[in-house]
Every structure is written in C-alpha cells, then in structure tokens.
Amino acid sequence: MPPRASLGIPLPALRTFEAIVRLGSLTAAAEELGLTVSAVSHQMRGLEAAFDHPLLRRDGRGVVATDIGRTLASDLGRAFGEIDLAIGRTRAARPTVTVSVQASFAARWLIPRLHRFDMIAPGVDLRILTTSRLINLAREGIDCAIRLGPGNWPGLVATPLMPHLEGPVLRAGANASAPHRRVVLAGREDEWTPWQDLATAPTVRTLPTRELVIDAVLAGAGVGILDTTIVAAELERAELQFLAPPRASGWSYYFVAPAYSFGRKEVKAFAQWMLEEARG
C-alpha cells in the first residue's frame, strides 16, 4: 500500500504533482522521480479525480498549473521541504550511499535487485538519483555512479561491470518477416546505423525517453534498438524477440566514484555487490 495523506490521497502522487509544476513537464518529473511518463500520467489522473478540479493544463509542449494547482504546488513544496529536512536530520545518524544512475537502468536492472543488497548491508540507506546528464560527482556530493560509456572519465575510478550489447527488438509473437515501424529515441537516431539494411516500414515513431521506447516496443508499436541489459527480464520471459543478433557498442557499464569515496566501507560494500550482481 502506498503511503497516504489525509483524505485518502496517495503521498507519491502529491510528490509527483509538485515535481511536475516545479519542472514544467511530465517527462522531467518522471526523470527526477525515476518513474515512467505513463506512471506519472496515471498518478495525475487519479489526483485530479480526488480533488474534483483540474490541476494542470497543457501549454505548448509542457504543462502549467491552474490557479488552484499553483496554490497546491506551492504549499506542497514548503511541506515536502520540511519533510526532506526532517529525513536528512534523521539519516545523518545512519550511513548513506548516494548513487547516480540513468532512470531506465535504475528501474529495470538496479531496483529489482536491491533487496539482495539490503540483506548484506541492512544498516545502509541507499539514495538513488536518476538523471541522463553527465554530472560532477564531487561537486554535487554524490558518492558513486553507474555510467555507460568508454570508461575514461577524468578524476574518477572506473570499474567495468558488463559490456553494452544492443539490437533491434520486436514484441514476441509479431511477424518478424513483415516490415515494422522504427521506434526511435529522440536525439539517438544514430543507434540505427549498424542496422540500416534491416527492412522496416517507412514511418518512424520518435519518443523522448528510453522508458517510452521500451514500453512502445512491448506494446507492439514497432521495432526499437534496445539495450540487452535493460530488457534482460523481458527477453528471459520471451516477451521480446530480436530481429537481428545484438552487437557490442564498444561501450560498457561502469561503477565509477572519486577515489576518496572508497575510503567509506559503505561505498566499498556497494561497489563489491554491484560487481557480483553484474557477473550474475
């Protein structure tokens, strides 16, 4: 059961609403909170039904709060600020590891495994920050990160976890010999370069986040270039099929951290656990 505020309104939905108003879009709020855009939309439909008032309205490509929504968001911002301060004061007495990771990796690979980390480090609070931008760990007070790339980030110790494999994937049961629409991540059309000769339909569906590309492929909307690590569970359950063998991109997943972070036993324990999980 999700935690609930008064009047039976789920607290996560209120937190999501405050993030949408503050950031100006459902996509940005989804990235900050580690949710899919569809999950954010579902929460907002339930929240507006609970209040029986429209809280958001479309404004170009983004959203803005209505008058009543703006007041609610302002009050929630102050309330959540107090809650965060209270939690921070309490956590100061407990060891905490802050890790930065892309939302799709967090949702589909890391979080489903975290119960095993809790078993070996029950006293450690793991704080997960999801973002697609390349952040400065030391400047932003982040202990470590899971990064996909070449592995040569200045000032960081990078330990390889697993190679990056990707390939054209289609929903299982779809006719693999028929041409299917390409489902493309906005700004990453180059992912299709190794498979330019693959016969596809002339239409293209472009989506703003990796999670939405995965959801679209699972829904049968077309074929997408997917990371085998991110969709490993769906491949094992035979929910997806490859149209061509996956290929190594030349990049890998790495556990990265400033050298001084390894002086903390909690970070070392998390790094070792990540290595063991990556090896399977």
Side-chain angles (χ1 to χ4, degrees):
M1 285 286 289
R4 290 186 172 269
S6 60
L7 303 178
I9 298 172
L11 279 173
L14 295 173
R15 175 75 79 169
T16 300
F17 172 71
E18 188 276 333
I20 292 171
V21 176
R22 174 166 42 84
L23 299 172
S25 82
L26 273 66
T27 300
E31 180 176 330
E32 178 176 279
L33 298 172
L35 301 172
T36 65
V37 176
S38 58
V40 168
S41 297
H42 177 73
Q43 286 188 359
M44 289 306 96
R45 286 194 296 269
L47 192 63
E48 290 192 326
F51 279 104
D52 198 26
H53 287 289
L55 301 175
L56 298 168
R57 61 178 176 82
R58 289 283 177 184
D59 181 35
R61 293 187 176 183
V63 292
V64 296
T66 61
D67 289 342
I68 190 172
R70 192 178 305 110
T71 300
L72 175 63
S74 177
D75 290 342
L76 288 174
R78 288 191 295 271
F80 285 132
E82 291 297 322
I83 291 172
D84 290 341
L85 284 174
I87 292 173
R89 286 191 292 266
T90 302
R91 281 180 170 171
R94 292 170 57 87
T96 301
V97 175
T98 302
V99 55
S100 171
V101 61
Q102 287 191 342
S104 56
F105 187 91
R108 292 180 175 270
W109 193 94
L110 180 58
I111 290 175
R113 291 169 166 80
L114 282 183
H115 64 282
R116 294 199 282 267
F117 179 69
D118 293 337
M119 292 174 63
I120 67 167
V124 176
D125 288 338
L126 194 64
R127 182 173 179 239
I128 299 174
L129 302 180
T130 59
T131 180
S132 58
R133 65 186 177 89
L134 190 63
I135 60 177
N136 185 307
L137 301 186
R139 186 174 63 232
E140 300 188 36
I142 296 171
D143 298 306
C144 55
I146 312 302
R147 283 187 178 172
L148 175 62
N152 55 350
W153 296 282
L156 298 175
V157 179
T159 304
L161 295 174
M162 62 195 96
H164 179 236
L165 301 175
E166 58 185 3
V169 176
L170 187 67
R171 184 173 69 174
N175 184 355
S177 62
H180 294 273
R181 175 193 291 116
R182 293 185 182 186
V183 182
V184 177
L185 177 65
R188 290 304 315 273
E189 293 79 2
D190 60 310
E191 291 179 331
W192 274 93
T193 301
W195 291 278
Q196 284 296 332
D197 295 334
L198 192 67
T200 55
T203 56
V204 174
R205 177 156 295 153
T206 302
L207 298 171
T209 68
R210 184 74 65 185
E211 274 292 311
L212 285 178
V213 172
I214 296 171
D215 289 344
V217 172
L218 284 168
V223 56
I225 305 302
L226 300 186
D227 182 332
T228 61
T229 296
I230 301 301
V231 295
E234 288 82 359
L235 289 169
E236 289 178 8
R237 293 194 297 264
E239 296 173 6
L240 295 171
Q241 60 180 324
F242 282 107
L243 288 187
R247 302 181 184 184
S249 69
W251 285 5
S252 293
Y253 283 100
Y254 289 85
F255 182 92
V256 302
Y260 61 79
S261 285
F262 291 99
R264 297 181 55 209
K265 63 180 181 180
E266 298 85 12
V267 175
K268 291 175 66 175
F270 182 62
Q272 184 60 40
W273 175 80
M274 282 292 303
L275 283 170
E276 292 171 359
E277 288 291 323
R279 291 167 184 160

